Amino acid sequence: MAPKGRQGAMRGGSRPRGRGGRPNGGQKRVHGPRFNSARLAEVQDPEDEDSGEESPSDEDLEEEDDSEDEGPQTAPNKSYMALMSSFAKQSAPNNKRRKLSHQNADERPSKRQEVEPESEEETGDKDVVDTAEEEPEEGPDAEMTLDDEDGDDEDDVPDTSDPFETHFSIPDEAQVSKRIKAAQANEYSVSQVELNGLRLTRSVPGKAPGDSERPLSLMPDTSALKLKQKLREAAAKKPTLDKLEQVLYPITFGYNDLLFCNRTPKNGGRLRRMACLHAVNHIFKTRDRVIKNNYKLHKEGTASDFEPKDQGFTRPKVLMILPTRQSAVKMVKEICAICEPDQQENRKRFDDTYVGDDAKFSSERPEDYKELFNGNDDDNFRLGVKFTRKTIKYFSQFYSSDILIASPLGLKMAIESGGKDKKMDYDYLSSIEMVILDQADALLNQNWQYIEFVLEHLNMQPREAHDCDFSRVREWYLEKQAHNYRQTLIFSAFNTPELQEVHRQCQNWAGRVRVQPEYPGSIQELGVKVKQTFSRFDAPSAAAEPDARFEYFISAIVPTLVKRAKDVEGTLIFVPSYFDYVRLRNYFANSPATANLTFGTIGDYASVPEASRAGSHFLSGRHKVLLYTERAHHFYRYVLNGVRRVIMYGLPDNPIFFKEIVGGYLAKSEQKAKLEPGHGTVRVMFSKYDVLKLERIVGSKRVGKMIRERGDTFDFI
């Protein structure tokens, strides 16, 4: 489906996205059908089409017995009997292979006796899981190393000051029930506050949250965090928090949903560390609670009345959605720095398939570009990460993993790995309690439909039992309220309607917080004197906005180009949406009004040679007008020469692009004497539906007046 507020202009089109097809990239770049026009100065040969089909994922999602989730079986409550019976009927014909922890190495079946997975060379799948490599799990009577505060005390009482306990284990049921009903009815109380120069907008379910709701505040250091002992030692290495961390840490560790709209290459490492510390702490607390309860059940025997509620349907608890394999490498490195494991199983395989060249771009490339595309920029991957007492295992089966790290494309292919003839498998997403979307602005330029697809399959009731002990499943899982307890953390360089919609759809009973800065405006950071004209057009609705934009362009912009046909050379038209780009390309090719205007194009599907040829013709004057899309700039950052004026059919989402295209291109033309200093111009079209983009470009203080004032033209120099 198309993003809210857009008419069919979905993010990413319908093709796999990414800069694959490189030495470390797993996917060849796919090009769309080429456009030919009699008005182009040169008719090029049709481009060979590449089907770009991917073989179905060979991710083996076979369920694995997890002894940490297995304790001595207790009689299930009557309320679970119907659900258990239905699962029993479904899984009765299937005989489950179980692993015996006391089996000798010589007695274990060899790999030849098992069904061998296809090799990587046969499937092309670097993330395939070898089920024969799964090690025996720890039993309930295994040696346990617990923190001092988690001592093996029968009278152990959960810490009411620990957000983990109050959010998942011992929440105020009356308060939670009211908030869940309010969230379902979309009733929220909204408050705003400014902390350390950041604007925080908080939404809490219910018209009156009550005095029990803690106000948003700063956290000066990590001593106030409720961390496991091993993680406290890691956090103590950097106890003091900077101004950004002081704002975000209490929100994150308080299990609120978070949309942070000011991620940069400079603060990206600190955000990654915070997210990993929180995720690992959540995994360790969940695991230790299960182990303690296993031990208590084992110690008391079958006569015990103790019935713990400490589990979900399946083991995975954290899902990290990232844009590239190199982003996954950075996450894994941060996790290892926090945990300091004694052993890392399959680490060499991980390094071979994920780590790439960190310095494949020159220093002239922008920092945000190098952060995203340096290293292995393949956007098709998924990885299971499993924790034991002393080991981190990579490429573990999804059903025996604690953390799932995946790209949108990789996870979608894993869900659909059964093919058309088999049912999709997404039960391993049924008990996800934390979702982390890092570099969400980069995910926007992939296929956003894949993000929507993955989020739609979170926290659904499983279709098979997967050896679940339903007597230990938390009540809110059985009542289909898991999504009300899930925390979603989104880190993006900027805010967009798509991200706002994801954030708005989250129904965490603890509420949600949006954090964004006060924008000074990119127009003040161009570094060159440019006459900037912002023209506002009216649109009756968001759905009608693309048509209104096109009508304004052909009635107000095109006539000025046609009248100055001799002087129009060097006009760059920047088009954010691919669908708008196709519409303009066809108009320039077929409309009598533009018969005297030669033009070239650099679109989403243009190959590097095609883009280079179009840029060359634009510089020589053979093409007077050049159409240039936002996603082409995002993935390649072409340096275009000969630009004398810029027309922005729409504002870019990324404010950095405005500086690079307007300031960078015009300054380069002045340096090469293609343009007299101070004679560069830019014309920008915008509507009231572009308020988020406009704020980043003109500044937070100006955006209100430009949207509300009667005048429709605003000039800046």
Side-chain angles (χ1 to χ4, degrees), residues 8 10 24 42 51 69 76 99 103 117 258 290 318 356 385 404 427 440 472 503 508 564 607 716:
M10 59 185 171
N24 293 317
E42 177 179 316
S51 63
D69 292 343
K99 292 194 174 182
Q103 192 175 22
L258 171 65
V290 172
V318 177
V385 180
L404 305 180
D427 286 355
R472 295 181 64 171
H503 186 59
N508 185 350
R564 302 171 54 189
S607 65
F716 300 93

Side-chain angles (χ1 to χ4, degrees), residues 343-362:
Q343 298 178 357
Q344 299 184 54
E345 190 171 345
N346 293 334
R347 181 58 193 253
K348 184 179 184 301
R349 178 184 171 188
F350 174 78
D351 290 340
D352 291 343
T353 55
Y354 277 76
V355 178
D357 183 8
D358 282 337
K360 64 182 181 182
F361 297 116
S362 65

Side-chain angles (χ1 to χ4, degrees), residues 484-533:
N484 296 120
Y485 288 78
R486 185 189 74 230
Q487 181 186 30
T488 304
L489 304 175
I490 305 175
F491 303 106
S492 174
F494 43 81
N495 193 9
T496 70
E498 293 87 350
L499 296 180
Q500 277 201 161
E501 182 65 13
V502 171
H503 186 59
R504 187 187 65 82
Q505 290 180 352
C506 294
Q507 295 186 351
N508 185 350
W509 71 263
R512 56 179 182 256
V513 182
R514 183 178 73 247
V515 181
Q516 61 188 63
E518 191 81 9
Y519 293 100
S522 299
I523 59 175
Q524 297 180 341
E525 304 171 357
L526 299 181
V528 62
K529 186 177 180 181
V530 179
K531 181 182 179 181
Q532 306 174 61
T533 301

Side-chain angles (χ1 to χ4, degrees), residues 160-391:
T160 56
S161 64
D162 186 350
F164 173 84
E165 301 290 352
T166 57
H167 188 82
F168 295 102
S169 301
I170 53 169
D172 185 334
E173 295 184 3
Q175 181 190 47
V176 172
S177 178
K178 291 180 180 179
R179 290 196 176 186
I180 290 177
K181 291 180 180 179
Q184 292 172 347
N186 198 28
E187 295 179 353
Y188 286 84
S189 60
V190 181
S191 61
Q192 294 184 341
V193 65
E194 183 173 334
L195 296 174
N196 285 352
L198 295 171
R199 291 183 294 169
L200 282 68
T201 303
R202 186 183 198 180
S203 301
V204 180
K207 295 182 179 179
D211 298 333
S212 61
E213 190 63 36
R214 296 180 181 179
L216 295 173
S217 59
L218 301 176
M219 179 180 290
D221 53 57
T222 59
S223 61
L225 297 176
K226 298 293 182 179
L227 301 175
K228 300 298 292 183
Q229 178 62 35
K230 188 174 183 179
L231 301 184
R232 281 205 299 266
E233 296 172 358
K237 296 178 180 178
K238 186 182 178 299
T240 305
L241 303 178
D242 61 26
K243 289 186 176 181
L244 174 61
E245 294 170 327
Q246 290 174 6
V247 174
L248 298 184
Y249 266 69
I251 299 172
T252 301
F253 283 83
Y255 285 96
N256 296 276
D257 288 337
L258 171 65
L259 172 57
F260 179 63
C261 308
N262 194 33
R263 189 192 186 283
T264 65
K266 188 175 181 180
N267 63 31
R270 288 173 284 159
L271 297 176
R272 193 180 302 115
R273 174 180 172 79
M274 178 187 70
C276 290
L277 180 63
H278 181 45
V280 173
N281 187 53
H282 181 81
I283 294 296
F284 283 8
K285 287 189 174 184
T286 302
R287 178 179 181 273
D288 284 359
R289 174 61 61 185
V290 172
I291 291 177
K292 285 200 302 181
N293 290 338
N294 283 351
Y295 181 81
K296 187 173 182 179
L297 288 169
H298 179 73
K299 184 177 180 181
E300 295 183 2
T302 57
S304 173
D305 294 332
F306 178 54
E307 294 185 355
K309 303 292 184 182
D310 55 7
Q311 300 179 16
F313 296 115
T314 54
R315 177 166 177 166
K317 292 293 180 287
V318 177
L319 172 64
M320 296 182 177
I321 302 179
L322 307 173
T324 66
R325 286 181 181 259
Q326 194 64 24
S327 300
V329 170
K330 295 176 181 178
M331 280 291 186
V332 167
K333 286 183 178 179
E334 199 62 59
I335 290 173
C336 292
I338 292 171
C339 299
E340 298 181 349
D342 294 344
Q343 298 178 357
Q344 299 184 54
E345 190 171 345
N346 293 334
R347 181 58 193 253
K348 184 179 184 301
R349 178 184 171 188
F350 174 78
D351 290 340
D352 291 343
T353 55
Y354 277 76
V355 178
D357 183 8
D358 282 337
K360 64 182 181 182
F361 297 116
S362 65
S363 58
E364 296 179 356
R365 292 280 189 170
E367 289 299 321
D368 65 307
Y369 185 85
K370 290 188 292 185
E371 184 198 27
L372 179 59
F373 293 117
N374 258 337
N376 191 336
D377 57 16
D378 181 18
D379 65 352
N380 182 7
F381 64 93
R382 71 270 186 203
L383 176 72
V385 180
K386 175 181 177 181
F387 294 85
T388 60
R389 287 186 297 110
K390 298 181 179 180
T391 304

Side-chain angles (χ1 to χ4, degrees), residues 567-614:
D567 301 327
V568 78
E569 182 179 323
T571 299
L572 176 70
I573 302 179
F574 176 81
V575 190
S577 166
Y578 178 74
F579 294 99
D580 287 336
Y581 159 78
V582 172
R583 192 174 194 176
L584 289 185
R585 183 193 64 185
N586 293 340
Y587 174 79
F588 273 91
N590 302 317
S591 174
T594 58
N596 297 325
L597 294 178
T598 57
F599 74 102
T601 63
I602 300 179
D604 294 4
Y605 297 89
S607 65
V608 174
E610 285 179 325
S612 178
R613 185 161 47 247

